[in-house]
Amino acid sequence: DAGITQSPRYKITETGRQVTLMCHQTWSHSYMFWYRQDLGHGLRLIYYSAAADITDKGEVPDGYVVSRSKTENFPLTLESATRSQTSVYFCASSDQGTGQETQYFGPGTRLLVL
Amino acid sequence: AQSVSQHNHHVILSEAASLELGCNYSYGGTVNLFWYVQYPGQHLQLLLKYFSGDPLVKGIKGFEAEFIKSKFSFNLRKPSVQWSDTAEYFCAVNPYGNNRLAFGKGNQVVVIP
């Protein structure tokens, strides 16, 4: 049972470069989420998706783009990376949208923008 | 916008001591409440959750949390901690019918053997 995987696990990039973080889940969950985790801020929602081709902004969407052409994949793209986007990025999924479901998290991607 | 407050970001205690982590939220409607835990090097995972019924909720590994509606609080407790409880603990809230979680800043708990 692979669950939810993220790649790469670690990434170093330079300011201005485009970076794509991948997220894949094997449960066919409808909902998927991207969070960033920063010291002193906890986890903050970047984008989420209720189903394939349906995405919406979270708390901190600026500078990020998402797509969801297939249910199992939810890539996050930093169009032009900035140092403030240095963070740990977590992908998560859940199977319904009532608000009572557990969200299942991936292992995270540590991104360093130089 | 709703917010979630966790106090005492760093907690250090000895094995067998009792642990209580506070969580307060600012949202006036019906909410669903969660505590997630992140052990060193591991994924975030659910510790327990509350959405209705008995306000005292029991979770995994001997943890429990109490929902006090009048205080907008959902405090986490464990009567006797173990070294393996060393982790970061996050309180999270979402309004009923909306599964967009708002997380607190977390509590880093270190248990000394």
Side-chain angles (χ1 to χ4, degrees), chain A residues 31 33 37 40 43 48 57-58 90 96 98-103 105 107, chain B residues 32 34 36 38 43-44 46 49 51 90 94 96-97 99-101 103-105:
Chain A
Y31 285 79
F33 310 84
Q37 182 182 22
L43 280 83
Y48 69 104
K57 296 178 180 179
F90 288 100
Q96 297 178 46
T98 66
Q100 299 172 358
E101 303 82 14
T102 300
Q103 288 189 18
F105 286 80
Chain B
N32 299 308
F34 304 79
Y36 281 84
Q38 187 176 25
H43 307 197
L44 270 88
L46 181 72
K49 61 183 176 181
F51 39 85
F90 294 95
N94 69 15
Y96 183 76
N99 64 348
R100 295 176 53 175
L101 288 176
F103 281 85
K105 294 181 180 181

PDB file of all heavy atoms in Angstrom, chain A residues 31 33 37 40 43 48 57-58 90 96 98-103 105 107, chain B residues 32 34 36 38 43-44 46 49 51 90 94 96-97 99-101 103-105:
ATOM      1  N   TYR A  31     -10.166  14.489  -2.550  1.00  0.00           N
ATOM      2  CA  TYR A  31      -9.574  15.743  -2.135  1.00  0.00           C
ATOM      3  C   TYR A  31      -8.068  15.620  -1.968  1.00  0.00           C
ATOM      4  O   TYR A  31      -7.561  14.645  -1.415  1.00  0.00           O
ATOM      5  CB  TYR A  31     -10.174  16.210  -0.797  1.00  0.00           C
ATOM      6  CG  TYR A  31     -11.566  16.768  -0.941  1.00  0.00           C
ATOM      7  CD1 TYR A  31     -12.660  15.920  -1.054  1.00  0.00           C
ATOM      8  CD2 TYR A  31     -11.774  18.136  -0.999  1.00  0.00           C
ATOM      9  CE1 TYR A  31     -13.937  16.434  -1.215  1.00  0.00           C
ATOM     10  CE2 TYR A  31     -13.042  18.664  -1.153  1.00  0.00           C
ATOM     11  CZ  TYR A  31     -14.121  17.805  -1.260  1.00  0.00           C
ATOM     12  OH  TYR A  31     -15.379  18.314  -1.412  1.00  0.00           O
ATOM     13  N   PHE A  33      -4.482  18.264  -1.106  1.00  0.00           N
ATOM     14  CA  PHE A  33      -4.100  19.542  -0.507  1.00  0.00           C
ATOM     15  C   PHE A  33      -2.582  19.732  -0.599  1.00  0.00           C
ATOM     16  O   PHE A  33      -1.829  18.772  -0.545  1.00  0.00           O
ATOM     17  CB  PHE A  33      -4.478  19.567   0.977  1.00  0.00           C
ATOM     18  CG  PHE A  33      -5.893  19.173   1.283  1.00  0.00           C
ATOM     19  CD1 PHE A  33      -6.239  17.834   1.409  1.00  0.00           C
ATOM     20  CD2 PHE A  33      -6.874  20.141   1.442  1.00  0.00           C
ATOM     21  CE1 PHE A  33      -7.546  17.455   1.688  1.00  0.00           C
ATOM     22  CE2 PHE A  33      -8.176  19.773   1.723  1.00  0.00           C
ATOM     23  CZ  PHE A  33      -8.518  18.435   1.848  1.00  0.00           C
ATOM     24  N   GLN A  37       5.092  24.262   5.543  1.00  0.00           N
ATOM     25  CA  GLN A  37       5.354  24.301   6.972  1.00  0.00           C
ATOM     26  C   GLN A  37       6.582  25.154   7.230  1.00  0.00           C
ATOM     27  O   GLN A  37       7.671  24.865   6.726  1.00  0.00           O
ATOM     28  CB  GLN A  37       5.586  22.886   7.527  1.00  0.00           C
ATOM     29  CG  GLN A  37       5.809  22.865   9.036  1.00  0.00           C
ATOM     30  CD  GLN A  37       6.087  21.473   9.569  1.00  0.00           C
ATOM     31  OE1 GLN A  37       6.506  20.576   8.843  1.00  0.00           O
ATOM     32  NE2 GLN A  37       5.837  21.276  10.863  1.00  0.00           N
ATOM     33  N   GLY A  40       7.350  28.835  13.211  1.00  0.00           N
ATOM     34  CA  GLY A  40       6.566  29.952  13.715  1.00  0.00           C
ATOM     35  C   GLY A  40       5.222  30.147  13.027  1.00  0.00           C
ATOM     36  O   GLY A  40       4.447  31.012  13.427  1.00  0.00           O
ATOM     37  N   LEU A  43       1.442  24.829   9.750  1.00  0.00           N
ATOM     38  CA  LEU A  43       1.123  24.471   8.367  1.00  0.00           C
ATOM     39  C   LEU A  43       0.106  25.459   7.817  1.00  0.00           C
ATOM     40  O   LEU A  43      -0.885  25.769   8.473  1.00  0.00           O
ATOM     41  CB  LEU A  43       0.533  23.065   8.287  1.00  0.00           C
ATOM     42  CG  LEU A  43       1.511  21.912   8.332  1.00  0.00           C
ATOM     43  CD1 LEU A  43       1.871  21.578   9.771  1.00  0.00           C
ATOM     44  CD2 LEU A  43       0.932  20.691   7.641  1.00  0.00           C
ATOM     45  N   TYR A  48      -5.932  23.622  -2.746  1.00  0.00           N
ATOM     46  CA  TYR A  48      -6.560  22.328  -2.584  1.00  0.00           C
ATOM     47  C   TYR A  48      -7.394  22.005  -3.819  1.00  0.00           C
ATOM     48  O   TYR A  48      -7.666  22.887  -4.646  1.00  0.00           O
ATOM     49  CB  TYR A  48      -7.402  22.264  -1.304  1.00  0.00           C
ATOM     50  CG  TYR A  48      -8.643  23.103  -1.291  1.00  0.00           C
ATOM     51  CD1 TYR A  48      -9.894  22.521  -1.463  1.00  0.00           C
ATOM     52  CD2 TYR A  48      -8.569  24.471  -1.079  1.00  0.00           C
ATOM     53  CE1 TYR A  48     -11.042  23.285  -1.431  1.00  0.00           C
ATOM     54  CE2 TYR A  48      -9.707  25.241  -1.051  1.00  0.00           C
ATOM     55  CZ  TYR A  48     -10.948  24.656  -1.222  1.00  0.00           C
ATOM     56  OH  TYR A  48     -12.085  25.425  -1.194  1.00  0.00           O
ATOM     57  N   LYS A  57      -7.877  28.167  -4.240  1.00  0.00           N
ATOM     58  CA  LYS A  57      -6.814  28.748  -3.449  1.00  0.00           C
ATOM     59  C   LYS A  57      -7.033  28.510  -1.968  1.00  0.00           C
ATOM     60  O   LYS A  57      -8.154  28.478  -1.478  1.00  0.00           O
ATOM     61  CB  LYS A  57      -6.740  30.257  -3.712  1.00  0.00           C
ATOM     62  CG  LYS A  57      -6.380  30.624  -5.133  1.00  0.00           C
ATOM     63  CD  LYS A  57      -6.374  32.139  -5.317  1.00  0.00           C
ATOM     64  CE  LYS A  57      -6.019  32.508  -6.747  1.00  0.00           C
ATOM     65  NZ  LYS A  57      -6.028  33.968  -6.958  1.00  0.00           N
ATOM     66  N   GLY A  58      -5.893  28.396  -1.272  1.00  0.00           N
ATOM     67  CA  GLY A  58      -5.923  28.323   0.174  1.00  0.00           C
ATOM     68  C   GLY A  58      -5.510  29.642   0.777  1.00  0.00           C
ATOM     69  O   GLY A  58      -5.778  30.713   0.218  1.00  0.00           O
ATOM     70  N   PHE A  90       4.088  19.882   2.232  1.00  0.00           N
ATOM     71  CA  PHE A  90       3.368  18.642   2.474  1.00  0.00           C
ATOM     72  C   PHE A  90       2.152  18.555   1.580  1.00  0.00           C
ATOM     73  O   PHE A  90       1.380  19.509   1.461  1.00  0.00           O
ATOM     74  CB  PHE A  90       2.917  18.541   3.935  1.00  0.00           C
ATOM     75  CG  PHE A  90       4.033  18.291   4.893  1.00  0.00           C
ATOM     76  CD1 PHE A  90       4.579  19.339   5.621  1.00  0.00           C
ATOM     77  CD2 PHE A  90       4.536  17.015   5.072  1.00  0.00           C
ATOM     78  CE1 PHE A  90       5.617  19.116   6.510  1.00  0.00           C
ATOM     79  CE2 PHE A  90       5.580  16.787   5.963  1.00  0.00           C
ATOM     80  CZ  PHE A  90       6.120  17.846   6.676  1.00  0.00           C
ATOM     81  N   GLN A  96     -13.394  12.442   1.346  1.00  0.00           N
ATOM     82  CA  GLN A  96     -14.653  13.148   1.203  1.00  0.00           C
ATOM     83  C   GLN A  96     -14.454  14.612   1.567  1.00  0.00           C
ATOM     84  O   GLN A  96     -13.354  15.026   1.891  1.00  0.00           O
ATOM     85  CB  GLN A  96     -15.727  12.519   2.103  1.00  0.00           C
ATOM     86  CG  GLN A  96     -16.069  11.092   1.750  1.00  0.00           C
ATOM     87  CD  GLN A  96     -17.089  10.504   2.693  1.00  0.00           C
ATOM     88  OE1 GLN A  96     -18.104  11.133   3.005  1.00  0.00           O
ATOM     89  NE2 GLN A  96     -16.832   9.297   3.173  1.00  0.00           N
ATOM     90  N   THR A  98     -16.753  16.406   3.829  1.00  0.00           N
ATOM     91  CA  THR A  98     -17.659  16.851   4.878  1.00  0.00           C
ATOM     92  C   THR A  98     -16.939  17.634   5.964  1.00  0.00           C
ATOM     93  O   THR A  98     -17.569  18.333   6.739  1.00  0.00           O
ATOM     94  CB  THR A  98     -18.357  15.664   5.564  1.00  0.00           C
ATOM     95  OG1 THR A  98     -17.378  14.902   6.271  1.00  0.00           O
ATOM     96  CG2 THR A  98     -19.058  14.790   4.547  1.00  0.00           C
ATOM     97  N   GLY A  99     -15.626  17.506   6.044  1.00  0.00           N
ATOM     98  CA  GLY A  99     -14.866  18.187   7.075  1.00  0.00           C
ATOM     99  C   GLY A  99     -14.537  17.322   8.262  1.00  0.00           C
ATOM    100  O   GLY A  99     -13.785  17.722   9.140  1.00  0.00           O
ATOM    101  N   GLN A 100     -15.073  16.116   8.312  1.00  0.00           N
ATOM    102  CA  GLN A 100     -14.819  15.226   9.438  1.00  0.00           C
ATOM    103  C   GLN A 100     -13.757  14.173   9.116  1.00  0.00           C
ATOM    104  O   GLN A 100     -13.377  13.393   9.970  1.00  0.00           O
ATOM    105  CB  GLN A 100     -16.116  14.545   9.867  1.00  0.00           C
ATOM    106  CG  GLN A 100     -17.173  15.522  10.321  1.00  0.00           C
ATOM    107  CD  GLN A 100     -18.521  14.866  10.569  1.00  0.00           C
ATOM    108  OE1 GLN A 100     -18.685  13.668  10.359  1.00  0.00           O
ATOM    109  NE2 GLN A 100     -19.492  15.652  11.003  1.00  0.00           N
ATOM    110  N   GLU A 101     -13.305  14.176   7.864  1.00  0.00           N
ATOM    111  CA  GLU A 101     -12.379  13.123   7.456  1.00  0.00           C
ATOM    112  C   GLU A 101     -10.972  13.423   7.931  1.00  0.00           C
ATOM    113  O   GLU A 101     -10.571  14.566   8.079  1.00  0.00           O
ATOM    114  CB  GLU A 101     -12.324  13.017   5.924  1.00  0.00           C
ATOM    115  CG  GLU A 101     -13.628  12.759   5.257  1.00  0.00           C
ATOM    116  CD  GLU A 101     -14.405  14.049   5.081  1.00  0.00           C
ATOM    117  OE1 GLU A 101     -13.810  15.149   5.245  1.00  0.00           O
ATOM    118  OE2 GLU A 101     -15.596  13.973   4.812  1.00  0.00           O
ATOM    119  N   THR A 102     -10.246  12.349   8.112  1.00  0.00           N
ATOM    120  CA  THR A 102      -8.811  12.455   8.362  1.00  0.00           C
ATOM    121  C   THR A 102      -8.115  12.836   7.068  1.00  0.00           C
ATOM    122  O   THR A 102      -8.460  12.332   5.995  1.00  0.00           O
ATOM    123  CB  THR A 102      -8.278  11.100   8.846  1.00  0.00           C
ATOM    124  OG1 THR A 102      -8.959  10.734  10.048  1.00  0.00           O
ATOM    125  CG2 THR A 102      -6.778  11.140   9.086  1.00  0.00           C
ATOM    126  N   GLN A 103      -7.168  13.732   7.164  1.00  0.00           N
ATOM    127  CA  GLN A 103      -6.293  13.999   6.030  1.00  0.00           C
ATOM    128  C   GLN A 103      -5.029  13.157   6.205  1.00  0.00           C
ATOM    129  O   GLN A 103      -4.465  13.092   7.300  1.00  0.00           O
ATOM    130  CB  GLN A 103      -5.964  15.489   5.937  1.00  0.00           C
ATOM    131  CG  GLN A 103      -7.159  16.308   5.475  1.00  0.00           C
ATOM    132  CD  GLN A 103      -6.818  17.754   5.174  1.00  0.00           C
ATOM    133  OE1 GLN A 103      -5.653  18.114   4.986  1.00  0.00           O
ATOM    134  NE2 GLN A 103      -7.840  18.592   5.110  1.00  0.00           N
ATOM    135  N   PHE A 105      -1.170  12.524   5.130  1.00  0.00           N
ATOM    136  CA  PHE A 105      -0.077  13.365   4.661  1.00  0.00           C
ATOM    137  C   PHE A 105       1.049  12.551   4.039  1.00  0.00           C
ATOM    138  O   PHE A 105       1.340  11.420   4.461  1.00  0.00           O
ATOM    139  CB  PHE A 105       0.487  14.181   5.827  1.00  0.00           C
ATOM    140  CG  PHE A 105      -0.404  15.308   6.245  1.00  0.00           C
ATOM    141  CD1 PHE A 105      -1.506  15.088   7.061  1.00  0.00           C
ATOM    142  CD2 PHE A 105      -0.165  16.603   5.792  1.00  0.00           C
ATOM    143  CE1 PHE A 105      -2.347  16.134   7.423  1.00  0.00           C
ATOM    144  CE2 PHE A 105      -0.995  17.648   6.157  1.00  0.00           C
ATOM    145  CZ  PHE A 105      -2.087  17.418   6.968  1.00  0.00           C
ATOM    146  N   PRO A 107       5.285  12.461   2.955  1.00  0.00           N
ATOM    147  CA  PRO A 107       6.498  12.633   3.766  1.00  0.00           C
ATOM    148  C   PRO A 107       7.101  14.021   3.696  1.00  0.00           C
ATOM    149  O   PRO A 107       7.979  14.353   4.487  1.00  0.00           O
ATOM    150  CB  PRO A 107       7.459  11.604   3.164  1.00  0.00           C
ATOM    151  CG  PRO A 107       7.020  11.478   1.747  1.00  0.00           C
ATOM    152  CD  PRO A 107       5.531  11.638   1.764  1.00  0.00           C
TER     153      PRO A 107
ATOM    154  N   ASN B  32     -15.186  21.302  13.269  1.00  0.00           N
ATOM    155  CA  ASN B  32     -14.577  19.996  13.485  1.00  0.00           C
ATOM    156  C   ASN B  32     -13.159  20.249  13.983  1.00  0.00           C
ATOM    157  O   ASN B  32     -12.482  21.172  13.511  1.00  0.00           O
ATOM    158  CB  ASN B  32     -14.541  19.195  12.185  1.00  0.00           C
ATOM    159  CG  ASN B  32     -15.929  18.950  11.645  1.00  0.00           C
ATOM    160  OD1 ASN B  32     -16.802  18.477  12.350  1.00  0.00           O
ATOM    161  ND2 ASN B  32     -16.132  19.274  10.382  1.00  0.00           N
ATOM    162  N   PHE B  34      -9.267  18.732  15.369  1.00  0.00           N
ATOM    163  CA  PHE B  34      -8.302  17.659  15.166  1.00  0.00           C
ATOM    164  C   PHE B  34      -7.018  17.973  15.941  1.00  0.00           C
ATOM    165  O   PHE B  34      -6.642  19.123  16.117  1.00  0.00           O
ATOM    166  CB  PHE B  34      -7.918  17.545  13.685  1.00  0.00           C
ATOM    167  CG  PHE B  34      -9.073  17.339  12.749  1.00  0.00           C
ATOM    168  CD1 PHE B  34      -9.873  18.401  12.364  1.00  0.00           C
ATOM    169  CD2 PHE B  34      -9.334  16.081  12.234  1.00  0.00           C
ATOM    170  CE1 PHE B  34     -10.935  18.213  11.490  1.00  0.00           C
ATOM    171  CE2 PHE B  34     -10.391  15.883  11.355  1.00  0.00           C
ATOM    172  CZ  PHE B  34     -11.194  16.948  10.981  1.00  0.00           C
ATOM    173  N   TYR B  36      -3.138  16.581  15.251  1.00  0.00           N
ATOM    174  CA  TYR B  36      -2.217  15.784  14.456  1.00  0.00           C
ATOM    175  C   TYR B  36      -0.857  15.779  15.157  1.00  0.00           C
ATOM    176  O   TYR B  36      -0.499  16.732  15.855  1.00  0.00           O
ATOM    177  CB  TYR B  36      -2.043  16.373  13.053  1.00  0.00           C
ATOM    178  CG  TYR B  36      -3.173  16.050  12.106  1.00  0.00           C
ATOM    179  CD1 TYR B  36      -4.336  16.828  12.096  1.00  0.00           C
ATOM    180  CD2 TYR B  36      -3.084  14.983  11.220  1.00  0.00           C
ATOM    181  CE1 TYR B  36      -5.374  16.535  11.216  1.00  0.00           C
ATOM    182  CE2 TYR B  36      -4.107  14.690  10.347  1.00  0.00           C
ATOM    183  CZ  TYR B  36      -5.253  15.466  10.354  1.00  0.00           C
ATOM    184  OH  TYR B  36      -6.283  15.164   9.482  1.00  0.00           O
ATOM    185  N   GLN B  38       3.412  14.857  14.605  1.00  0.00           N
ATOM    186  CA  GLN B  38       4.510  14.583  13.678  1.00  0.00           C
ATOM    187  C   GLN B  38       5.692  14.095  14.490  1.00  0.00           C
ATOM    188  O   GLN B  38       6.374  14.896  15.141  1.00  0.00           O
ATOM    189  CB  GLN B  38       4.864  15.841  12.886  1.00  0.00           C
ATOM    190  CG  GLN B  38       5.880  15.617  11.792  1.00  0.00           C
ATOM    191  CD  GLN B  38       6.133  16.874  10.973  1.00  0.00           C
ATOM    192  OE1 GLN B  38       5.942  17.995  11.425  1.00  0.00           O
ATOM    193  NE2 GLN B  38       6.578  16.694   9.734  1.00  0.00           N
ATOM    194  N   HIS B  43       5.659  11.155   8.834  1.00  0.00           N
ATOM    195  CA  HIS B  43       4.555  11.950   8.315  1.00  0.00           C
ATOM    196  C   HIS B  43       3.706  12.489   9.453  1.00  0.00           C
ATOM    197  O   HIS B  43       3.671  11.916  10.539  1.00  0.00           O
ATOM    198  CB  HIS B  43       3.620  11.088   7.460  1.00  0.00           C
ATOM    199  CG  HIS B  43       4.273  10.318   6.370  1.00  0.00           C
ATOM    200  ND1 HIS B  43       3.560   9.778   5.333  1.00  0.00           N
ATOM    201  CD2 HIS B  43       5.547   9.992   6.136  1.00  0.00           C
ATOM    202  CE1 HIS B  43       4.376   9.155   4.520  1.00  0.00           C
ATOM    203  NE2 HIS B  43       5.591   9.257   4.981  1.00  0.00           N
ATOM    204  N   LEU B  44       2.988  13.545   9.190  1.00  0.00           N
ATOM    205  CA  LEU B  44       1.924  13.954  10.104  1.00  0.00           C
ATOM    206  C   LEU B  44       0.868  12.864  10.110  1.00  0.00           C
ATOM    207  O   LEU B  44       0.526  12.305   9.061  1.00  0.00           O
ATOM    208  CB  LEU B  44       1.251  15.248   9.642  1.00  0.00           C
ATOM    209  CG  LEU B  44       1.821  16.547  10.132  1.00  0.00           C
ATOM    210  CD1 LEU B  44       2.926  17.005   9.191  1.00  0.00           C
ATOM    211  CD2 LEU B  44       0.729  17.604  10.188  1.00  0.00           C
ATOM    212  N   LEU B  46      -2.932  11.523  12.245  1.00  0.00           N
ATOM    213  CA  LEU B  46      -4.022  11.924  13.124  1.00  0.00           C
ATOM    214  C   LEU B  46      -3.852  11.298  14.497  1.00  0.00           C
ATOM    215  O   LEU B  46      -3.604  10.101  14.617  1.00  0.00           O
ATOM    216  CB  LEU B  46      -5.354  11.490  12.519  1.00  0.00           C
ATOM    217  CG  LEU B  46      -6.584  11.873  13.343  1.00  0.00           C
ATOM    218  CD1 LEU B  46      -6.820  13.390  13.239  1.00  0.00           C
ATOM    219  CD2 LEU B  46      -7.807  11.112  12.848  1.00  0.00           C
ATOM    220  N   LYS B  49      -9.814  13.213  16.816  1.00  0.00           N
ATOM    221  CA  LYS B  49     -10.663  14.245  16.236  1.00  0.00           C
ATOM    222  C   LYS B  49     -12.011  14.280  16.938  1.00  0.00           C
ATOM    223  O   LYS B  49     -12.426  13.307  17.563  1.00  0.00           O
ATOM    224  CB  LYS B  49     -10.850  14.035  14.733  1.00  0.00           C
ATOM    225  CG  LYS B  49     -11.522  12.715  14.359  1.00  0.00           C
ATOM    226  CD  LYS B  49     -11.592  12.600  12.829  1.00  0.00           C
ATOM    227  CE  LYS B  49     -12.170  11.250  12.410  1.00  0.00           C
ATOM    228  NZ  LYS B  49     -12.222  11.112  10.917  1.00  0.00           N
ATOM    229  N   PHE B  51     -16.102  15.865  16.301  1.00  0.00           N
ATOM    230  CA  PHE B  51     -17.067  16.664  15.549  1.00  0.00           C
ATOM    231  C   PHE B  51     -18.445  16.687  16.198  1.00  0.00           C
ATOM    232  O   PHE B  51     -19.230  17.552  15.886  1.00  0.00           O
ATOM    233  CB  PHE B  51     -17.162  16.236  14.087  1.00  0.00           C
ATOM    234  CG  PHE B  51     -17.090  14.758  13.851  1.00  0.00           C
ATOM    235  CD1 PHE B  51     -18.205  13.961  13.937  1.00  0.00           C
ATOM    236  CD2 PHE B  51     -15.873  14.153  13.545  1.00  0.00           C
ATOM    237  CE1 PHE B  51     -18.126  12.598  13.713  1.00  0.00           C
ATOM    238  CE2 PHE B  51     -15.790  12.784  13.312  1.00  0.00           C
ATOM    239  CZ  PHE B  51     -16.908  12.014  13.394  1.00  0.00           C
ATOM    240  N   PHE B  90       0.077  19.346  16.499  1.00  0.00           N
ATOM    241  CA  PHE B  90      -0.651  20.424  15.837  1.00  0.00           C
ATOM    242  C   PHE B  90      -2.144  20.290  16.074  1.00  0.00           C
ATOM    243  O   PHE B  90      -2.722  19.225  15.850  1.00  0.00           O
ATOM    244  CB  PHE B  90      -0.409  20.393  14.325  1.00  0.00           C
ATOM    245  CG  PHE B  90       0.997  20.698  13.910  1.00  0.00           C
ATOM    246  CD1 PHE B  90       1.902  19.671  13.687  1.00  0.00           C
ATOM    247  CD2 PHE B  90       1.414  22.006  13.734  1.00  0.00           C
ATOM    248  CE1 PHE B  90       3.201  19.946  13.301  1.00  0.00           C
ATOM    249  CE2 PHE B  90       2.714  22.295  13.348  1.00  0.00           C
ATOM    250  CZ  PHE B  90       3.607  21.266  13.131  1.00  0.00           C
ATOM    251  N   ASN B  94     -11.627  22.974  11.292  1.00  0.00           N
ATOM    252  CA  ASN B  94     -12.322  23.418  10.098  1.00  0.00           C
ATOM    253  C   ASN B  94     -13.813  23.551  10.396  1.00  0.00           C
ATOM    254  O   ASN B  94     -14.347  22.884  11.261  1.00  0.00           O
ATOM    255  CB  ASN B  94     -12.057  22.539   8.887  1.00  0.00           C
ATOM    256  CG  ASN B  94     -12.662  21.167   8.993  1.00  0.00           C
ATOM    257  OD1 ASN B  94     -13.511  20.909   9.819  1.00  0.00           O
ATOM    258  ND2 ASN B  94     -12.222  20.271   8.137  1.00  0.00           N
ATOM    259  N   TYR B  96     -17.781  23.156   9.882  1.00  0.00           N
ATOM    260  CA  TYR B  96     -18.581  22.024   9.414  1.00  0.00           C
ATOM    261  C   TYR B  96     -18.892  22.188   7.930  1.00  0.00           C
ATOM    262  O   TYR B  96     -19.306  23.232   7.475  1.00  0.00           O
ATOM    263  CB  TYR B  96     -19.870  21.958  10.224  1.00  0.00           C
ATOM    264  CG  TYR B  96     -20.722  20.778   9.872  1.00  0.00           C
ATOM    265  CD1 TYR B  96     -20.394  19.506  10.318  1.00  0.00           C
ATOM    266  CD2 TYR B  96     -21.846  20.933   9.080  1.00  0.00           C
ATOM    267  CE1 TYR B  96     -21.167  18.417   9.982  1.00  0.00           C
ATOM    268  CE2 TYR B  96     -22.621  19.844   8.753  1.00  0.00           C
ATOM    269  CZ  TYR B  96     -22.286  18.578   9.206  1.00  0.00           C
ATOM    270  OH  TYR B  96     -23.049  17.505   8.881  1.00  0.00           O
ATOM    271  N   GLY B  97     -18.690  21.144   7.158  1.00  0.00           N
ATOM    272  CA  GLY B  97     -18.976  21.168   5.736  1.00  0.00           C
ATOM    273  C   GLY B  97     -17.847  21.704   4.889  1.00  0.00           C
ATOM    274  O   GLY B  97     -17.975  21.831   3.683  1.00  0.00           O
ATOM    275  N   ASN B  99     -13.662  21.139   4.410  1.00  0.00           N
ATOM    276  CA  ASN B  99     -12.526  20.357   4.908  1.00  0.00           C
ATOM    277  C   ASN B  99     -11.196  21.073   4.722  1.00  0.00           C
ATOM    278  O   ASN B  99     -10.153  20.460   4.679  1.00  0.00           O
ATOM    279  CB  ASN B  99     -12.498  18.964   4.265  1.00  0.00           C
ATOM    280  CG  ASN B  99     -12.278  19.040   2.775  1.00  0.00           C
ATOM    281  OD1 ASN B  99     -12.356  20.091   2.181  1.00  0.00           O
ATOM    282  ND2 ASN B  99     -11.992  17.907   2.174  1.00  0.00           N
ATOM    283  N   ARG B 100     -11.237  22.380   4.648  1.00  0.00           N
ATOM    284  CA  ARG B 100     -10.006  23.168   4.608  1.00  0.00           C
ATOM    285  C   ARG B 100      -9.552  23.383   6.038  1.00  0.00           C
ATOM    286  O   ARG B 100     -10.144  24.115   6.789  1.00  0.00           O
ATOM    287  CB  ARG B 100     -10.268  24.509   3.938  1.00  0.00           C
ATOM    288  CG  ARG B 100     -10.661  24.402   2.485  1.00  0.00           C
ATOM    289  CD  ARG B 100     -10.996  25.749   1.908  1.00  0.00           C
ATOM    290  NE  ARG B 100      -9.901  26.703   2.137  1.00  0.00           N
ATOM    291  CZ  ARG B 100      -9.888  27.936   1.650  1.00  0.00           C
ATOM    292  NH1 ARG B 100     -10.900  28.357   0.926  1.00  0.00           N
ATOM    293  NH2 ARG B 100      -8.883  28.743   1.897  1.00  0.00           N
ATOM    294  N   LEU B 101      -8.459  22.732   6.394  1.00  0.00           N
ATOM    295  CA  LEU B 101      -7.962  22.813   7.758  1.00  0.00           C
ATOM    296  C   LEU B 101      -7.153  24.087   7.984  1.00  0.00           C
ATOM    297  O   LEU B 101      -6.345  24.475   7.151  1.00  0.00           O
ATOM    298  CB  LEU B 101      -7.071  21.614   8.072  1.00  0.00           C
ATOM    299  CG  LEU B 101      -7.753  20.261   8.243  1.00  0.00           C
ATOM    300  CD1 LEU B 101      -6.712  19.172   8.445  1.00  0.00           C
ATOM    301  CD2 LEU B 101      -8.719  20.289   9.410  1.00  0.00           C
ATOM    302  N   PHE B 103      -4.394  25.232  10.722  1.00  0.00           N
ATOM    303  CA  PHE B 103      -3.541  24.643  11.751  1.00  0.00           C
ATOM    304  C   PHE B 103      -3.030  25.717  12.704  1.00  0.00           C
ATOM    305  O   PHE B 103      -2.798  26.863  12.320  1.00  0.00           O
ATOM    306  CB  PHE B 103      -2.321  23.974  11.104  1.00  0.00           C
ATOM    307  CG  PHE B 103      -2.595  22.632  10.512  1.00  0.00           C
ATOM    308  CD1 PHE B 103      -3.093  22.514   9.226  1.00  0.00           C
ATOM    309  CD2 PHE B 103      -2.344  21.477  11.232  1.00  0.00           C
ATOM    310  CE1 PHE B 103      -3.341  21.268   8.669  1.00  0.00           C
ATOM    311  CE2 PHE B 103      -2.580  20.222  10.690  1.00  0.00           C
ATOM    312  CZ  PHE B 103      -3.086  20.123   9.400  1.00  0.00           C
ATOM    313  N   GLY B 104      -2.795  25.292  13.934  1.00  0.00           N
ATOM    314  CA  GLY B 104      -2.042  26.124  14.852  1.00  0.00           C
ATOM    315  C   GLY B 104      -0.561  26.022  14.536  1.00  0.00           C
ATOM    316  O   GLY B 104      -0.148  25.261  13.666  1.00  0.00           O
ATOM    317  N   LYS B 105       0.240  26.791  15.286  1.00  0.00           N
ATOM    318  CA  LYS B 105       1.672  26.827  15.007  1.00  0.00           C
ATOM    319  C   LYS B 105       2.418  25.612  15.534  1.00  0.00           C
ATOM    320  O   LYS B 105       3.592  25.419  15.222  1.00  0.00           O
ATOM    321  CB  LYS B 105       2.270  28.107  15.577  1.00  0.00           C
ATOM    322  CG  LYS B 105       1.748  29.355  14.886  1.00  0.00           C
ATOM    323  CD  LYS B 105       2.370  30.627  15.442  1.00  0.00           C
ATOM    324  CE  LYS B 105       1.819  31.845  14.714  1.00  0.00           C
ATOM    325  NZ  LYS B 105       2.417  33.113  15.220  1.00  0.00           N
TER     326      LYS B 105
END
